[in-house]
Every structure is written in structure tokens, then in C-alpha cells.
Amino acid sequence: MIRQRTLKSIVKATGVGLHGGRKVTLVLRPAAPDTGIVFHRVDLDPPLTLPADPYAVCDTRMCSGLEKGGEKVGTVEHLMSALAGLGIDNLHVDVDAPEIPILDGSSAPFVFLLQSAGIEEQPVPKKFLRVKKAVEYVEGDKWVRLEPYDGFRLSFSIVFNHPAIDSTSTRVTIDFAEQSYVRDVARARTFGFMQDVEFMRANGLALGGSLENAIVMDEYRVLNAEGLRYADEFVKHKVLDAIGDLYLCGHPLLASYSAHKAGHALNNQILRVLLEDREAWEIVTFEQPKATPAAVAHQFDESVLAQA
């Protein structure tokens, strides 16, 4: 049986918020089966609870955030991506600021935290959201699509007309029937441009951004001394974001996702298009080994999840 998962123990991290620039303490706590991923703003009195929910998503300019009663938890996508990649179904996420810490700008530190706490299987089947028919969302020259697939595959293409990005691969396909989230996706960092910094900061964004937590480019080149972690790190980060954004639906997807020039807003829109067409999806479990698609078995295999 493919089982639900949580953590074995509590784990804590401290970092800076990418957009607010504030110090943030993050605590990850185990949760009971069928709890889902639940965020808690513990700096508020009383604390505010925000379950992962695509209809609670707000402010998709530079991140995915959740909002309830005017209060927010922003920049959830990198943590959500790590949770999806490691198959964590149930977790309490305590945070004492309006956003999750950015750490190094990728999901790798969250993967390390989760693996340090230990992953525990729970005695109930994992619930998958299986796409039964194709759905699409188009906005100008940007588009995103979900199609039926017996596993989880993501294809992404980007266009930035920037020499540093154009010199790398701008298209990638990640299929978890064959590839590893930890090895092939988790280390891809967020990226930005020096010329955009003044505008973003004037609008209250990227106040905590630096070369320590993002790939930064001037008009011609990458400014980070260590260079890129993957030859296709830019487009892989878009895949990393998409995995986190899609996991806000509350279940791992069985689907093929493809997108061109998409971002957090379109990822949220495609989830809403999907969920609002009740004939386009179903919830399934795999309680017998023979019924489990090979791609799913590979994706959640312990040895694959441990690959660095």
C-alpha cells in the first residue's frame, strides 16, 4: 500500500523572509492522517490556521501565499514543493511572520530539514488526485495544461531574452517515473535581475533578497560567484515552483503538467479550472501492490527519495 506520510519528530529552522526581509522562525510538526498541510501564524493572538487550499491563494506576483481574514502566509511554494517531492501528506507548519523563510532560494534546505526529522509512514492509504481529462488555462502567450497520466510528469519552457538564461536550456521535462526530486529538482534556486530590484523594493518585495538566496543577474551575466547548480537551473526552478503550487490542491497529482511562460498565478488558475470540472478528476488510492502504477511506486520509493 502507498501510505500517507508525516514526520517522526519536530524540526525547527530560522531564516529571513525574501519579501519582508524579517527574521522568521519555522517549526514543522507531525500531524495525524488526513490532516493535510496546515500553516499556523503563531505570532498572532489567537494563532491563525491556514490549510493548504488553492482557493486561499493570494498575491501571486512573486510567490504563492495563503490568506485568511486579511492575514497571510507568503512564499509557501518552496516548502510545499519539498513536501510534495518527499511525499509528506500531513504536517503542521508554525511560522512567526507573514512568510516562510527563503533559506537558500531552493527547496534543498527544506528537504534537509524534513529528512533530518525523519519521515514516518502512517497506517492509511495516500490519496491521489487523478486527472481524468485534459484541462487548460491560457493567458495571452502564456499557457498551462494538465492531462491524464499514470504518474507525475512536468514539462516547462521559458522565454526571457537574457543572455545568461538563453545560454542554458530553456525547456525541461521531469518525469518522476525515472527521475528523483531530491537529485534533479530540489537544488534549483529562484532568480532575479538587478534592474528589477529597485522596482520590487519600492513595492515592498524582495527586501530580503541577496546572492545568498537567489541567482542574481545584471544585463549580461550571472553575478553569483559559484555559478549555476544545474545547466538548466532557471527552467528547473520553474518546475520546482510548479510542484509546490500544484500541491496546494491537497493531494499528490497523477497527471502530466505542461506549461509555457507560466508562473504562480497560472498554476493556481489551472488548479481552479481542474477542480471546478468535477468530471475532470477523481481521488484514488493504491492499497494493493499490483494496482500501483510503476511510475507511482518509483516516485515514492524510499531509495529514490533519499537520492542527493
Side-chain angles (χ1 to χ4, degrees):
M1 179 167 73
I2 303 290
R3 301 175 185 272
Q4 292 184 28
R5 291 174 174 162
T6 190
L7 298 186
K8 289 181 179 178
S9 61
I10 295 172
V11 67
K12 177 180 176 181
T14 302
V16 67
L18 174 62
H19 296 302
R22 291 173 49 182
K23 180 181 175 183
V24 184
T25 299
L26 175 75
V27 178
L28 307 179
R29 298 184 285 118
D34 294 320
T35 298
I37 310 301
V38 183
F39 293 85
H40 305 275
R41 280 284 304 278
V42 297
D43 57 317
L44 301 176
D45 186 17
L48 181 69
T49 295
L50 297 96
D53 177 359
Y55 290 96
V57 169
C58 66
D59 195 2
T60 53
R61 289 176 295 171
M62 299 292 292
C63 69
S64 283
L66 301 171
E67 183 174 12
K68 181 179 177 181
E71 300 289 352
K72 300 177 182 179
V73 176
T75 325
V76 303
E77 64 274 10
H78 298 170
L79 173 58
M80 290 298 295
S81 186
L83 296 173
L86 294 182
I88 307 295
D89 302 272
N90 305 302
L91 192 69
H92 292 292
V93 180
D94 296 342
V95 63
D96 66 351
E99 62 182 320
I100 302 299
I102 191 62
L103 303 180
D104 79 344
S106 77
S107 288
F110 296 113
V111 167
F112 176 78
L113 279 172
L114 296 166
Q115 292 179 331
S116 297
I119 297 172
E120 182 175 275
E121 288 199 333
Q122 299 174 291
V124 291
K126 185 185 291 286
K127 296 176 181 177
F128 294 83
L129 194 157
R130 173 155 51 196
V131 173
K132 295 169 61 180
K133 73 175 189 181
V135 293
E136 184 177 58
Y137 183 83
V138 180
E139 193 173 277
D141 63 344
K142 305 173 184 179
W143 56 265
V144 59
R145 183 181 302 125
L146 288 169
E147 299 173 274
Y149 186 65
D150 245 356
F152 190 34
R153 178 177 65 197
L154 301 99
S155 298
F156 211 110
S157 61
I158 57 175
V159 178
F160 276 93
N161 296 318
H162 186 284
I165 297 178
D166 294 346
S167 66
T168 71
S169 297
T170 55
R171 296 175 180 270
V172 72
T173 296
I174 299 291
D175 191 335
F176 292 111
E178 303 166 353
Q179 290 161 287
S180 156
Y181 176 84
V182 176
R183 182 190 64 222
D184 299 315
V185 177
R187 296 177 65 244
R189 292 162 293 174
T190 193
F191 57 92
F193 307 95
M194 282 296 295
Q195 58 265 38
D196 295 336
V197 169
E198 287 188 12
F199 172 79
M200 288 191 291
R201 291 185 173 173
N203 285 274
L205 297 171
L207 300 180
S210 73
L211 291 167
E212 302 300 315
N213 54 40
I215 305 169
V216 181
M217 290 162 283
D218 62 15
E219 294 180 9
Y220 307 104
R221 62 191 175 93
V222 171
L223 300 179
N224 305 64
E226 73 274 22
L228 299 180
R229 295 176 175 178
Y230 302 107
D232 51 1
E233 187 169 1
F234 299 106
V235 70
K236 273 191 174 174
H237 186 78
K238 300 294 283 187
V239 168
L240 182 156
D241 277 347
I243 292 168
D245 290 341
L246 295 173
Y247 200 41
L248 287 166
C249 75
H251 302 286
L253 288 177
L254 297 178
S256 177
Y257 163 98
S258 52
H260 177 63
K261 298 177 67 174
H264 301 299
L266 265 68
N267 291 334
N268 183 249
Q269 288 295 336
I270 195 63
L271 278 185
R272 295 183 184 214
V273 170
L274 174 70
L275 294 174
E276 287 163 17
D277 184 348
R278 195 59 190 84
E279 295 182 358
W281 59 276
E282 63 182 345
I283 300 296
V284 298
T285 61
F286 300 107
E287 300 185 40
Q288 301 298 325
K290 289 182 179 179
T292 306
V296 175
H298 179 273
Q299 182 179 352
F300 295 102
D301 182 84
E302 292 295 340
S303 63
V304 173
L305 295 176
Q307 288 179 19

